[in-house]
């Protein structure tokens, strides 16, 4: 399994929430929370050099969860 590349320190450029999407453009990088990443996805797909989307982590079960 791949380790996450985005951390809790990475923040959405629009609202400041934790970023789960990093978009690399020719001019630099943009960070988005899952909500703003989805909202801008059509425009970003046309102009992005690369898109890292880790929004699936929002639904992941933390290691050790449910173990007592």
């Amino acid at each position: 399994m791949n380790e996450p590349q985005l951390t809790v320190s990475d923040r959405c450029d629009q609202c400041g929430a934790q970023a789960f999407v990093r978009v690399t453009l020719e001019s630099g990088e943009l960070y988005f929370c899952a909500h703003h990443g989805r909202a801008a996805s059509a425009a970003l797909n046309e102009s992005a050099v690369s898109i890292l989307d880790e929004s699936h982590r929002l639904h992941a079960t933390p290691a050790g969860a449910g173990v007592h």
Side-chain angles (χ1 to χ4, degrees):
M1 184 171 168
N2 293 336
E3 289 294 317
Q5 293 184 32
L6 296 171
T7 69
V8 296
S9 298
D10 295 311
R11 310 312 288 179
C12 177
D13 290 327
Q14 288 194 294
C15 70
Q18 182 176 350
F20 287 93
V21 179
R22 179 178 63 221
V23 179
T24 303
L25 305 167
E26 288 187 26
S27 58
E29 293 181 333
L30 295 172
Y31 291 82
F32 296 99
C33 64
H35 166 78
H36 286 116
R38 279 191 305 274
S41 66
L44 295 172
N45 283 329
E46 293 180 19
S47 58
V49 173
S50 68
I51 298 175
L52 172 66
D53 185 347
E54 295 183 352
S55 58
H56 64 278
R57 292 176 34 217
L58 289 167
H59 304 289
T61 303
V67 178
H68 300 286

